[in-house]
Amino acid sequence: MKPERSHAALGSLRSRLLLGTLAWILVSIILAGLGLNRLFQDHVYRQFEQRLQTHLDQIMADVNLENLNNLSLQSRLSDPLFEQPYSGMYWQIARREATGGKWTVALRSTSLWDEALDANAAGSAHGSFTLPGPEKQPLIVLRQELDEVNDKGQSLQIMVAGSRELLAEPLERFQRILFLSLGGLALGLILAAVLQVVLALYPLQLLRRRLLDVQEGRQPEISGRFPSEIQPLVDDFNAVLHANARMVDRARAQAGNLAHAVRTPLTIMGNAAAGADPQLAAVVSEQVALAQRQVDHHLSRARATAVRAIGVRTDVRASLQALCRVMGRLHAEKQIHLDLPERELVFKGEEQDLQEMAGNLLDNACKWAARHVWCRVSLEQGALHLVVEDDGPGLDPGQLERVFGRGQRADERYPGFGLGLDIVRELAESYHGRVQAGPSDKGGLRLDLVLAA
């Protein structure tokens, strides 16, 4: 159970955002703290060295070089720590004879008391280095050597030192303030991140509740306003819900119409059979044809109002070429001229629906054509245009719109129920398209089918 809960927690968008944000905040705060602490340490160390250098320069300016055997300073140093025993601030002057040898301490600060700095210790002659001092204090030392300061060739060494412990107090104070400041900053950022994630994901929680209301039937659609990133999704989902509701209503209506339409022929056949009607066979044939017509019509309407699959694409060229070959065999006495552009044409729908619409248009044209049928496809203003023309007798202006009506036939000599163009109209409207009839310059009828490409 624990691994599953852990996996579910990591699968949560809220958990991922919070973990990522908190990790980034903590890493940033830690790196910033380390960097600021390092910078402050370097700053304090440089200031301390500058302080030692100031004292060193003051000693060099005040020391009396006329008599190295009896050295003295002309003035007292400004820092009172030089007067306090083992205070952590020390200075010392040593001399060396011209013949060489070791350095001998000649003068030192009161703070050294009865001890002295190691004047002969290895270290930089003109820079800082570390040296153990009184009571084993770690010292930072600046040393300056002056060669042949008098006519006797004697040399002079001046040393100023300060204890590292003097740096500890400001560093600890700064680290304490830095820790409290960065801790407060981290806490504020964490609270802000949590609040931001909660507020940012609240619309998704609201959307989830609205979807649950729709699923359980409490609401017909998702209600309320959502952020601009989510609102298009809500609008599309509501559109699907509305389309589904319309489809269900249409299906119910079609089922009722079909039941009502079939009931009448069945009643007539039942009455004829019960009354031993001598024309029973003719009545049965007529009513069966009527029932078949009603079934075909309502099935076509139900199919035309079905929900379209998203992302379906149909190659128009291949589909129409195959369809024209079939029509050429069914109407061998007619010649079908297919005009397709070189560019690729795609229909955003089912191939069966495209063949249903184009097939009915071509079949209607072949029935009425004298010898030729023309089929032309083009892409205009983002829409797919399919034009079918024939060289037949055409229709009167008053008949152009009636041919798309249910059961309308221009000539009873041709078999059928008058449903072909009605099916084309239903399917075209289901794809947000249209179909129109008009006179053709070929002499017959022109049918224009426009579909979204």
Side-chain angles (χ1 to χ4, degrees), residues 292-311:
Q292 182 64 45
R293 175 180 174 179
Q294 296 293 339
V295 169
D296 291 341
H297 171 72
H298 288 289
L299 286 178
S300 67
R301 290 179 63 88
R303 183 171 176 270
T305 56
V307 177
R308 305 300 168 195
I310 298 175

Side-chain angles (χ1 to χ4, degrees), residues 43 66 84 107 147 210 299 313 316 349-350 364 376 394:
H43 173 71
E66 295 180 357
Q84 301 175 15
L107 189 64
D147 297 329
R210 295 291 187 268
L299 286 178
R313 297 163 60 90
V316 176
E350 299 284 350
N364 182 80
R376 183 176 70 257

Side-chain angles (χ1 to χ4, degrees), residues 308-314 346-350 431:
R308 305 300 168 195
I310 298 175
V312 177
R313 297 163 60 90
T314 299
V346 174
F347 168 61
K348 296 180 181 179
E350 299 284 350
Y431 282 104

